[in-house]
Each structure stands twice: as structure tokens, then as C-alpha cells.
Coordinates of all heavy atoms in Angstrom, one line a residue:
M715 N -79.3 -35.2 39.3 CA -79.0 -34.4 38.2 C -79.3 -35.3 36.9 O -78.9 -36.4 36.8 CB -77.5 -34.1 38.2 CG -77.0 -33.3 37.1 SD -75.2 -33.0 37.0 CE -75.0 -31.9 38.3
T716 N -80.0 -34.7 36.0 CA -80.3 -35.4 34.7 C -79.3 -35.1 33.6 O -78.8 -33.9 33.6 CB -81.7 -35.0 34.2 OG1 -81.7 -33.6 34.0 CG2 -82.8 -35.4 35.2
Q717 N -79.0 -36.1 32.8 CA -78.1 -35.8 31.7 C -78.8 -35.3 30.5 O -79.9 -35.7 30.2 CB -77.4 -37.1 31.3 CG -76.3 -37.5 32.3 CD -75.6 -38.8 31.8 OE1 -76.2 -39.8 31.5 NE2 -74.3 -38.7 31.8
A718 N -78.1 -34.5 29.8 CA -78.7 -34.0 28.5 C -78.6 -35.1 27.5 O -77.7 -35.8 27.5 CB -77.9 -32.7 28.0
P719 N -79.6 -35.2 26.6 CA -79.5 -36.2 25.6 C -78.4 -36.0 24.6 O -78.0 -34.8 24.3 CB -80.9 -36.1 24.9 CG -81.4 -34.7 25.2 CD -80.8 -34.4 26.5
A720 N -77.8 -37.1 24.1 CA -76.7 -36.9 23.2 C -77.2 -36.3 21.9 O -78.3 -36.7 21.4 CB -76.1 -38.3 23.0
L721 N -76.4 -35.5 21.3 CA -76.8 -34.9 20.0 C -76.4 -35.8 18.9 O -75.2 -36.2 18.8 CB -76.1 -33.5 19.9 CG -76.5 -32.5 20.9 CD1 -75.6 -31.2 20.7 CD2 -77.9 -32.2 20.8
H722 N -77.3 -36.1 18.0 CA -77.0 -36.9 16.9 C -77.3 -36.2 15.6 O -77.6 -36.9 14.6 CB -77.9 -38.2 17.0 CG -77.5 -39.1 18.2 ND1 -76.3 -39.8 18.2 CD2 -78.2 -39.3 19.3 CE1 -76.3 -40.4 19.4 NE2 -77.4 -40.1 20.1
A723 N -77.4 -34.9 15.6 CA -77.7 -34.2 14.4 C -76.6 -34.3 13.4 O -75.4 -34.2 13.8 CB -78.0 -32.7 14.7
K724 N -76.9 -34.4 12.2 CA -75.8 -34.5 11.1 C -75.6 -33.1 10.6 O -76.5 -32.3 10.5 CB -76.3 -35.4 10.0 CG -76.3 -36.8 10.3 CD -76.6 -37.6 9.1 CE -76.5 -39.1 9.4 NZ -76.5 -39.9 8.2
T725 N -74.3 -32.8 10.3 CA -74.0 -31.5 9.7 C -74.4 -31.5 8.2 O -74.7 -32.6 7.6 CB -72.5 -31.2 9.8 OG1 -71.8 -32.2 9.0 CG2 -72.0 -31.3 11.3
A726 N -74.4 -30.4 7.6 CA -74.7 -30.3 6.2 C -73.7 -31.1 5.3 O -74.1 -31.7 4.4 CB -74.7 -28.8 5.7
A727 N -72.5 -31.2 5.7 CA -71.5 -32.0 5.0 C -71.8 -33.4 5.1 O -71.5 -34.2 4.1 CB -70.1 -31.7 5.5
D728 N -72.3 -33.9 6.2 CA -72.6 -35.3 6.4 C -73.8 -35.7 5.5 O -74.0 -36.9 5.2 CB -73.0 -35.6 7.8 CG -71.8 -35.5 8.8 OD1 -70.7 -35.7 8.3 OD2 -72.0 -35.2 9.9
Q729 N -74.6 -34.8 5.1 CA -75.8 -35.1 4.3 C -75.6 -35.0 2.8 O -76.5 -35.3 2.0 CB -76.9 -34.2 4.7 CG -77.3 -34.3 6.2 CD -78.3 -33.3 6.6 OE1 -78.8 -32.5 5.9 NE2 -78.6 -33.2 7.9
Q730 N -74.4 -34.6 2.4 CA -74.1 -34.5 0.9 C -73.8 -35.8 0.3 O -73.2 -36.6 0.9 CB -72.9 -33.5 0.7 CG -73.1 -32.1 1.3 CD -74.2 -31.4 0.6 OE1 -74.5 -31.6 -0.6 NE2 -74.9 -30.6 1.4
P731 N -74.2 -36.0 -1.0 CA -74.0 -37.3 -1.7 C -72.6 -37.3 -2.3 O -72.3 -38.2 -3.0 CB -75.1 -37.3 -2.8 CG -75.3 -35.8 -3.0 CD -75.1 -35.1 -1.7
Y732 N -71.7 -36.4 -1.9 CA -70.4 -36.3 -2.5 C -69.4 -35.8 -1.4 O -69.9 -35.4 -0.3 CB -70.3 -35.3 -3.7 CG -71.1 -34.1 -3.5 CD1 -70.6 -33.0 -2.8 CD2 -72.4 -34.0 -4.0 CE1 -71.4 -31.9 -2.6 CE2 -73.2 -32.8 -3.8 CZ -72.7 -31.8 -3.1 OH -73.4 -30.6 -2.9
T733 N -68.1 -35.9 -1.6 CA -67.1 -35.6 -0.7 C -67.1 -34.1 -0.5 O -67.1 -33.3 -1.5 CB -65.8 -36.1 -1.1 OG1 -65.8 -37.5 -1.3 CG2 -64.7 -35.7 -0.1
V734 N -67.0 -33.6 0.7 CA -66.9 -32.1 1.0 C -65.5 -31.9 1.6 O -65.2 -32.6 2.6 CB -68.0 -31.7 1.9 CG1 -67.8 -30.2 2.3 CG2 -69.4 -31.9 1.3
L735 N -64.7 -31.0 1.1 CA -63.4 -30.7 1.6 C -63.5 -29.2 2.1 O -63.8 -28.3 1.3 CB -62.3 -30.8 0.6 CG -62.1 -32.2 0.0 CD1 -61.1 -32.2 -1.1 CD2 -61.7 -33.2 1.1
D736 N -63.1 -29.0 3.3 CA -63.1 -27.6 3.8 C -61.8 -26.9 3.4 O -60.7 -27.5 3.5 CB -63.2 -27.7 5.3 CG -63.5 -26.3 5.9 OD1 -62.8 -25.4 5.7 OD2 -64.5 -26.2 6.7
T737 N -61.9 -25.7 2.9 CA -60.6 -25.0 2.5 C -59.7 -24.8 3.6 O -58.5 -24.7 3.4 CB -61.0 -23.7 1.8 OG1 -61.8 -22.9 2.7 CG2 -61.7 -23.9 0.5
R738 N -60.2 -24.7 4.9 CA -59.2 -24.6 6.0 C -58.3 -25.8 6.1 O -57.2 -25.7 6.6 CB -60.0 -24.4 7.3 CG -60.7 -23.1 7.4 CD -61.6 -23.0 8.6 NE -62.7 -24.0 8.4 CZ -63.7 -24.0 9.2 NH1 -63.8 -23.3 10.3 NH2 -64.7 -24.9 9.0
T739 N -58.8 -27.0 5.6 CA -58.0 -28.2 5.6 C -57.0 -28.1 4.4 O -55.8 -28.5 4.6 CB -58.9 -29.4 5.5 OG1 -59.8 -29.4 6.6 CG2 -58.0 -30.7 5.5
L740 N -57.5 -27.7 3.3 CA -56.6 -27.6 2.1 C -55.5 -26.6 2.2 O -54.4 -26.8 1.7 CB -57.5 -27.3 0.9 CG -58.6 -28.3 0.5 CD1 -59.4 -27.8 -0.7 CD2 -57.9 -29.6 0.1
F741 N -55.8 -25.5 2.8 CA -54.8 -24.4 2.8 C -54.2 -24.2 4.2 O -54.0 -23.1 4.6 CB -55.5 -23.1 2.3 CG -55.9 -23.1 0.9 CD1 -57.3 -23.2 0.6 CD2 -55.0 -23.1 -0.2 CE1 -57.7 -23.3 -0.7 CE2 -55.4 -23.2 -1.5 CZ -56.8 -23.3 -1.8
V742 N -53.8 -25.3 4.8 CA -53.2 -25.2 6.2 C -51.8 -24.6 6.1 O -51.5 -23.7 6.8 CB -53.2 -26.6 6.8 CG1 -52.3 -26.6 8.0 CG2 -54.5 -27.1 7.2
R743 N -51.0 -25.1 5.1 CA -49.6 -24.6 5.0 C -49.4 -23.5 4.0 O -48.7 -22.5 4.3 CB -48.7 -25.8 4.5 CG -48.6 -26.9 5.5 CD -47.6 -28.0 5.0 NE -47.1 -27.6 3.7 CZ -46.1 -28.3 3.0 NH1 -45.7 -29.4 3.5 NH2 -45.7 -27.9 1.9
D744 N -50.1 -23.5 2.9 CA -49.9 -22.5 1.8 C -51.2 -22.0 1.4 O -52.2 -22.5 1.6 CB -49.1 -23.1 0.6 CG -47.8 -23.7 1.0 OD1 -47.0 -23.0 1.7 OD2 -47.5 -24.9 0.6
R745 N -51.1 -20.9 0.6 CA -52.3 -20.3 0.0 C -52.6 -20.7 -1.4 O -53.5 -20.2 -2.1 CB -52.2 -18.8 0.1 CG -52.2 -18.3 1.5 CD -52.3 -16.8 1.7 NE -53.5 -16.3 1.2 CZ -54.6 -16.1 2.0 NH1 -54.6 -16.5 3.2 NH2 -55.7 -15.6 1.5
Q746 N -51.8 -21.8 -1.9 CA -52.1 -22.4 -3.2 C -51.7 -23.8 -3.1 O -50.9 -24.2 -2.3 CB -51.4 -21.6 -4.3 CG -49.9 -21.6 -4.2 CD -49.2 -20.8 -5.3 OE1 -49.9 -20.4 -6.2 NE2 -48.0 -20.5 -5.1
L747 N -52.3 -24.6 -4.0 CA -52.0 -26.0 -4.1 C -52.1 -26.4 -5.6 O -52.8 -25.8 -6.4 CB -52.8 -26.9 -3.2 CG -54.3 -26.7 -3.3 CD1 -54.9 -27.7 -4.3 CD2 -54.9 -27.0 -2.0
L748 N -51.5 -27.5 -5.9 CA -51.6 -28.1 -7.3 C -52.6 -29.3 -7.3 O -52.6 -30.1 -6.4 CB -50.2 -28.5 -7.8 CG -49.3 -27.5 -8.2 CD1 -47.9 -28.1 -8.6 CD2 -49.8 -26.6 -9.3
I749 N -53.4 -29.3 -8.3 CA -54.3 -30.4 -8.6 C -53.9 -31.1 -9.9 O -53.8 -30.4 -10.9 CB -55.8 -29.9 -8.6 CG1 -56.1 -29.3 -7.3 CG2 -56.7 -31.1 -9.0 CD1 -57.5 -28.6 -7.4
C750 N -53.7 -32.4 -9.9 CA -53.3 -33.1 -11.1 C -54.6 -33.8 -11.6 O -55.2 -34.6 -10.9 CB -52.2 -34.1 -10.9 SG -51.7 -34.9 -12.4
H751 N -55.0 -33.4 -12.9 CA -56.2 -34.1 -13.5 C -55.8 -34.5 -14.9 O -55.5 -33.7 -15.7 CB -57.3 -33.0 -13.5 CG -58.6 -33.5 -14.2 ND1 -59.3 -34.6 -13.7 CD2 -59.1 -33.2 -15.4 CE1 -60.3 -34.8 -14.5 NE2 -60.2 -34.0 -15.6
R752 N -55.8 -35.9 -15.0 CA -55.5 -36.5 -16.3 C -54.2 -36.0 -16.8 O -54.0 -35.7 -18.0 CB -56.6 -36.2 -17.3 CG -57.9 -36.8 -17.0 CD -58.9 -36.7 -18.1 NE -60.2 -37.4 -17.7 CZ -61.2 -37.5 -18.5 NH1 -61.1 -36.9 -19.7 NH2 -62.2 -38.1 -18.2
G753 N -53.2 -35.9 -15.9 CA -51.9 -35.6 -16.3 C -51.6 -34.1 -16.5 O -50.5 -33.7 -16.8
E754 N -52.6 -33.3 -16.3 CA -52.4 -31.8 -16.4 C -52.6 -31.2 -15.0 O -53.3 -31.7 -14.2 CB -53.4 -31.2 -17.4 CG -53.3 -31.8 -18.8 CD -54.0 -30.9 -19.8 OE1 -53.8 -29.7 -19.8 OE2 -54.9 -31.5 -20.5
Y755 N -51.8 -30.2 -14.8 CA -51.8 -29.5 -13.5 C -52.6 -28.3 -13.5 O -52.5 -27.5 -14.4 CB -50.3 -29.3 -13.0 CG -49.6 -30.5 -12.7 CD1 -48.9 -31.3 -13.6 CD2 -49.7 -31.0 -11.4 CE1 -48.2 -32.4 -13.3 CE2 -49.1 -32.2 -11.0 CZ -48.3 -32.9 -12.0 OH -47.7 -34.1 -11.6
Y756 N -53.3 -28.1 -12.4 CA -54.1 -26.9 -12.2 C -53.7 -26.3 -10.8 O -53.4 -27.1 -9.9 CB -55.6 -27.2 -12.1 CG -56.1 -27.7 -13.4 CD1 -55.9 -29.1 -13.8 CD2 -56.8 -26.9 -14.3 CE1 -56.4 -29.6 -15.0 CE2 -57.3 -27.4 -15.5 CZ -57.1 -28.7 -15.9 OH -57.5 -29.2 -17.0
R757 N -53.6 -25.0 -10.7 CA -53.3 -24.3 -9.4 C -54.5 -23.8 -8.8 O -55.2 -23.0 -9.5 CB -52.2 -23.2 -9.7 CG -51.8 -22.6 -8.4 CD -50.7 -21.6 -8.6 NE -51.4 -20.4 -9.3 CZ -50.8 -19.6 -10.1 NH1 -49.5 -19.8 -10.3 NH2 -51.4 -18.6 -10.6
L758 N -54.8 -24.1 -7.6 CA -55.9 -23.6 -6.8 C -55.3 -22.6 -5.9 O -54.5 -23.0 -5.0 CB -56.7 -24.7 -6.1 CG -58.0 -24.2 -5.4 CD1 -59.0 -23.6 -6.3 CD2 -58.6 -25.4 -4.6
Q759 N -55.7 -21.4 -5.9 CA -55.1 -20.3 -5.1 C -56.2 -19.6 -4.3 O -57.3 -19.4 -4.8 CB -54.5 -19.3 -6.1 CG -53.8 -18.2 -5.4 CD -53.1 -17.2 -6.3 OE1 -53.1 -17.5 -7.6 NE2 -52.5 -16.2 -5.8
L760 N -55.9 -19.3 -3.1 CA -56.7 -18.6 -2.1 C -56.2 -17.1 -2.1 O -55.0 -16.9 -1.8 CB -56.6 -19.2 -0.7 CG -57.5 -18.6 0.3 CD1 -59.0 -18.7 0.0 CD2 -57.2 -19.2 1.7
T761 N -57.0 -16.2 -2.6 CA -56.6 -14.8 -2.7 C -56.6 -14.1 -1.3 O -57.1 -14.7 -0.3 CB -57.5 -14.0 -3.6 OG1 -58.8 -13.9 -3.0 CG2 -57.7 -14.7 -5.0
Q762 N -56.1 -12.9 -1.3 CA -56.2 -12.1 -0.1 C -57.6 -11.8 0.4 O -57.8 -11.6 1.6 CB -55.4 -10.8 -0.3 CG -53.9 -11.0 -0.4 CD -53.2 -9.7 -0.7 OE1 -53.8 -8.7 -1.0 NE2 -51.9 -9.7 -0.5
N763 N -58.5 -11.8 -0.5 CA -59.9 -11.5 -0.2 C -60.7 -12.8 0.0 O -61.9 -12.8 0.0 CB -60.6 -10.8 -1.3 CG -60.0 -9.4 -1.5 OD1 -59.6 -8.8 -0.5 ND2 -60.0 -8.9 -2.7
D764 N -60.0 -13.9 0.3 CA -60.6 -15.2 0.5 C -61.5 -15.7 -0.6 O -62.5 -16.4 -0.4 CB -61.4 -15.2 1.8 CG -60.5 -15.3 3.1 OD1 -59.3 -15.8 2.9 OD2 -60.8 -14.8 4.1
K765 N -61.1 -15.4 -1.8 CA -61.7 -16.0 -3.0 C -60.8 -17.1 -3.6 O -59.6 -17.1 -3.3 CB -61.9 -14.9 -4.1 CG -62.7 -13.7 -3.6 CD -64.1 -14.0 -3.4 CE -64.8 -12.7 -3.0 NZ -66.2 -12.9 -2.7
L766 N -61.4 -18.0 -4.3 CA -60.7 -19.1 -5.0 C -60.5 -18.8 -6.4 O -61.4 -18.4 -7.1 CB -61.4 -20.4 -4.8 CG -61.5 -20.9 -3.4 CD1 -62.4 -22.2 -3.3 CD2 -60.1 -21.2 -2.8
I767 N -59.3 -19.1 -6.9 CA -59.0 -19.0 -8.3 C -58.4 -20.3 -8.7 O -57.4 -20.8 -8.1 CB -57.9 -17.9 -8.6 CG1 -58.5 -16.5 -8.2 CG2 -57.5 -17.8 -10.1 CD1 -57.5 -15.4 -8.3
L768 N -58.9 -20.9 -9.8 CA -58.4 -22.1 -10.4 C -57.8 -21.8 -11.8 O -58.4 -21.3 -12.7 CB -59.5 -23.2 -10.6 CG -59.0 -24.5 -11.1 CD1 -58.1 -25.2 -10.2 CD2 -60.2 -25.4 -11.4
V769 N -56.4 -22.0 -11.9 CA -55.7 -21.7 -13.1 C -55.1 -22.9 -13.7 O -54.5 -23.7 -13.0 CB -54.6 -20.6 -12.8 CG1 -53.9 -20.3 -14.1 CG2 -55.3 -19.4 -12.2
K770 N -55.2 -23.1 -15.0 CA -54.5 -24.2 -15.7 C -53.1 -23.8 -16.0 O -52.8 -22.7 -16.3 CB -55.2 -24.6 -17.0 CG -54.7 -25.8 -17.7 CD -55.6 -26.2 -18.8 CE -54.9 -27.4 -19.5 NZ -55.7 -27.8 -20.6

């Protein structure tokens, strides 16, 4: 029996020059979260239609 070669293909996220965050990770508990940027808070919300809204 021969073994299949190991897969070493990179995903699209692995090839990006910046950090990629999956929304499934961000919105595990709630459908909104707060982002603090330079002392100001922004709310990132996931709508019922799976759209993102960012509100200051």
C-alpha cells in the first residue's frame, strides 16, 4: 500500500502579508464586539444578514 504525499499547500490566509482574522473566531460568543483605537471605542456588529457594521 502506498502512502499519499503530505499536503503542503498554503491557504490564502497564509500567503497574506498581514494578519487575517476570521469572523467565526471574532463572533464566537456575541454578534458584536468593541475595538479600542487610540482611546476611542468602535463597535463591530454582525447583522442578521451576515454583514459587518462598524460604528464609532
